[in-house]
Amino acid sequence: MFRTTLTGLLAHRLRLLLTSLAIVLGVGFIAGTFVLTDTIDAGFTQSFAADADKVDVVVTPKDDAEGDGSLPQSALAAIRAVRGVRDAQPMVSGDAPLIGRDGKVVGDFPTAGVSIPADRIKITAGRAPSAAGDAVLDKNTAKAQGLAPGATVAVLDRAGERQEFRLVGIFDVGVDQNLAYRGAVAFTPDTARRVTGAKGFTEIDVVSSGPSPESLRTAVAAAVGGDATVMTGRERADEVARRNHVDTSYIRLGLLLFGAVALLVAALVIYNTFNILVAQRMREMALLRCIGATKRQVFGSIVLESAVVGLLSSVLGLLTGLGLGAAAVAVLRAVGTDIPTGTVTLSPQTIAVGLCTGVVVTMAAALLPARQSTRVPPVAALRAQVEEHTFRTGVVRVVVSVLLLLAGAGLTAAGVLQKPGQAALLTVMAGGVLVFFAVLVLGPVIVRPLSGLAGWVPARLFGVPGRLAVDNSRRNPKRAATTTVALTVGVTLMTFMSVLTATVRTTVGGELDKQFPADYILSAQTGTIPRSVADALRGSRDLAAVTEFRGKKAKVNGRDYEVGTVTWSAIGTAIKPEASSGTLNGFGAGDVAVADYVAQDLGVAVGDTVTVTSGGKSASLEVAAVLRGEVSLLPAFTMAEQAFERHFGAVGDTQILVDAADGVAPERSRKVVDDATAAYPAVKVGSTTEIRGQFDEAIDSMLMVVTGLLALAIVISLLGIANTLSLSVHERTRESALLRALGLTRPQLRGMLSVEALVLGLVGAIVGVVLGIAYGWAATTTLTETVSFQLPAVQILIFIAASGLAGVLAAVLPARRAARASVVGALAAS
């Protein structure tokens, strides 16, 4: 039986290739994920190890240290006095906003002002800073701003004053992702403290003059006391590497979820393939039974075949994954990311996971067809032609599908009725999984009417070949259902994402319009906006409304919160906060409006009193309204303007909303706003159109990434359709020959098989679209209480059309093979 199984595999190499390809892609994606994340981990570890070799001991502040969370200058003096210390270099870090070519600060967050020890800074051009007027800039910011050594750069110091420096070099921030995101300007230690206002150090690197790092660590720890953490350079590198591994584990988990979807689709394809193979080889297995093979041997031969297919596919999948991982690493390097990457290799863990996953999934998918093979009676070998099984629904199938459907619908309803949040979303997703399995079980029952629906137009457009194709797609509903369900998975997820993103975009856009329909938003990257800016804006006839927001940190009922106020005349006009309870009508000096999430935290409601304490002053305020805080610009606690002024004094604006007057061109109103803020580099101007554009761009990017990852599942499902049609063509060789003998031309035969594939693709798309729309809507209800449901009809129609077209493309080779077969030869062979 072992030799028979292997001989059968080698005799049908094309069938083996088509069967293996689905698992190859699924395992390849998972292996590629591990290769990519392992390579990134190795790159970080190598970078950390290189840094560790330059330093013997690292001193950092404790997380719970008192004061400003930095090491005092006395700690540096104490470390330098320790016997065995050859050198101790401090690291300073703070804010030093870089002024760009447009006269405004660069980025959404202040550029970091740092001082990095000379042996730790990675200069890529020029030299390290050595004098008070020197500065070096990180390479990404330098590239974005078009700066090179020899240029003059300007930053804002702690007091907001402009300071200019000579750019003497460009440096690489290495593995520090915070500096990579913000950008960084590096100075000498004294200059860095002067510019940033930092009074202490964020790190002190110690180099030994002889003692081992462990003994020097003990001596330094005794010198600095209990307010600092002292580690060897190697220990520090290992700690940072562990933190990074946690970060990459999230990336790995997210990618593996898509890999799991791909493997699920591949398992369905494998199951369907073995089902058809068992049906085709019924006479062969019956002959084996006639010459003495037992049921166990027949069962074992199918399982052995699946194990061989799984093993070969997994090995090829690992090689594919290595290529995918290497390609991803090459892309990361090509786009110039600051993510270090090591050597691309297959780790023992990746090999084990890939092999086990591929073999187990393939063998599990083949178990039911293998069991079915044992039911072939020996007398079947005497039949001239294999009979096609007639599908019967069966009581068990109906009961199981109804139970799954009821459980899934119940969980979905429970999630929709829950308060919006993560728990509700997970409940809806669990319900969706159960409903999908119900559809999977019930697939052969619903595929007949759906095939009739999807094939109604093709049957009338393509005449006899069209009608034959529709009949073929319906005559073996079990096979058709397992063929289309693979495509259904991909279409369901893509429709779900499209509905979710379209609804989120519409809902958030509507909330933004209601809450602050302003044309321009002014914000300060550091500090506050001088009040003179709002005064200048109000003096322009080209602007209709100027709304100021102010805020200060204070203690409310003993806890730290943001307390603020707003230009009260704008309430109800420029901004329209919504109250979940209470009202802002008649709001006075003794009142306060509270965001709903804060009211829940403090356990306060309308009519209760809260105490606001700041700067030695206390004020008791009555809660007049609880506001919806999801998208509101108002702070957690909002006071009346005069009351806020009396309690906190004159403070700058944290944000200003500006509306242009009717009929004023956008270019003119923008110039007015830019002129008013020109003298203040830290004040940045954005328009709500730009903000919505950035939000839409982020949503579109996410959708593009998810669609790209789900494309793998779609490709595997198309392989399943092509595989099914290829095997079906082989199974129906005599039937095709008879049709040709009766007058069906080669183009008509090709058309018949293409229409059959089109119908199968449309059936999968119809089921996927219905499930995707239903659960896209259900998921959006768990995000917020007010949802503006949006159905992306054009995208959904594209999905349906693409599914049908993909089915037709998958049928090209099988149809060509069937049409080229000799009529006489096919009849004689049958």
Side-chain angles (χ1 to χ4, degrees), residues 13 51 172 181 278 337:
R13 288 182 290 273
D51 282 346
D172 184 356
Y181 179 69
V278 167
T337 62

Side-chain angles (χ1 to χ4, degrees), residues 164-251:
E164 293 189 349
F165 296 89
R166 183 176 64 259
L167 187 64
V168 297
I170 307 297
F171 77 106
D172 184 356
V173 298
V175 296
D176 193 325
Q177 295 305 297
N178 179 48
L179 295 185
Y181 179 69
R182 294 172 58 188
V185 189
F187 312 95
T188 60
D190 290 340
T191 303
R193 283 199 301 271
R194 176 174 60 82
V195 171
T196 64
K199 294 182 173 55
F201 310 114
T202 56
E203 183 179 310
I204 298 176
D205 296 341
V206 183
V207 179
S208 172
S209 62
S212 67
E214 290 74 17
S215 60
L216 187 60
R217 175 191 59 193
T218 303
V220 169
V224 298
D227 287 337
T229 299
V230 184
M231 293 178 286
T232 64
R234 181 65 56 182
E235 289 171 341
R236 173 69 168 170
D238 291 342
E239 180 199 36
V240 180
R242 281 194 300 271
R243 287 205 305 266
N244 173 74
H245 180 72
V246 172
D247 293 337
T248 55
S249 66
Y250 286 110
I251 300 174

Side-chain angles (χ1 to χ4, degrees), residues 70-137:
S70 62
L71 297 169
Q73 296 192 39
S74 58
L76 177 61
I79 292 170
R80 285 175 172 169
V82 173
R83 178 176 296 181
V85 171
R86 189 182 72 192
D87 190 20
Q89 291 294 328
M91 185 179 295
V92 178
S93 181
D95 291 341
L98 177 71
I99 300 175
R101 288 176 296 180
D102 61 354
K104 295 293 184 181
V105 289
V106 173
D108 294 327
F109 296 93
T111 308
V114 298
S115 169
I116 302 175
D119 60 343
R120 295 279 298 276
I121 191 168
K122 303 171 184 177
I123 298 295
T124 59
R127 59 175 177 83
S130 58
D134 293 347
V136 295
L137 190 60

Side-chain angles (χ1 to χ4, degrees), residues 323-400:
L324 290 173
V329 171
V331 170
L332 288 177
R333 290 171 179 166
V335 298
T337 62
D338 287 304
I339 299 176
T341 49
T343 304
V344 179
T345 56
L346 281 173
S347 67
Q349 175 196 18
T350 303
I351 295 173
V353 170
L355 289 177
C356 291
T357 302
V359 172
V360 169
V361 167
T362 307
M363 292 181 67
L367 284 179
L368 283 178
R371 184 169 173 267
Q372 183 183 343
S373 69
T374 63
R375 298 178 179 177
V376 180
V379 72
L382 304 177
R383 296 172 186 161
Q385 194 171 347
V386 177
E387 293 181 2
E388 209 170 88
H389 289 287
T390 302
F391 172 74
R392 296 178 181 176
T393 302
V395 176
V396 174
R397 182 183 297 274
V398 173
V399 170
V400 171

Side-chain angles (χ1 to χ4, degrees), residues 429-489:
M429 292 298 97
V433 171
L434 292 180
V435 169
F436 176 78
F437 280 115
V439 172
L440 184 64
V441 174
L442 207 59
V445 178
I446 63 177
V447 77
R448 276 185 190 272
L450 288 178
S451 295
L453 174 64
W456 188 81
V457 173
R460 281 152 181 77
L461 283 179
F462 300 103
V464 173
R467 291 195 293 274
L468 287 172
V470 174
D471 289 339
N472 284 337
S473 67
R474 302 177 66 188
R475 76 191 215 186
N476 193 331
K478 194 171 182 180
R479 179 199 300 166
T482 50
T483 301
T484 58
V485 76
L487 186 61
T488 298
V489 174

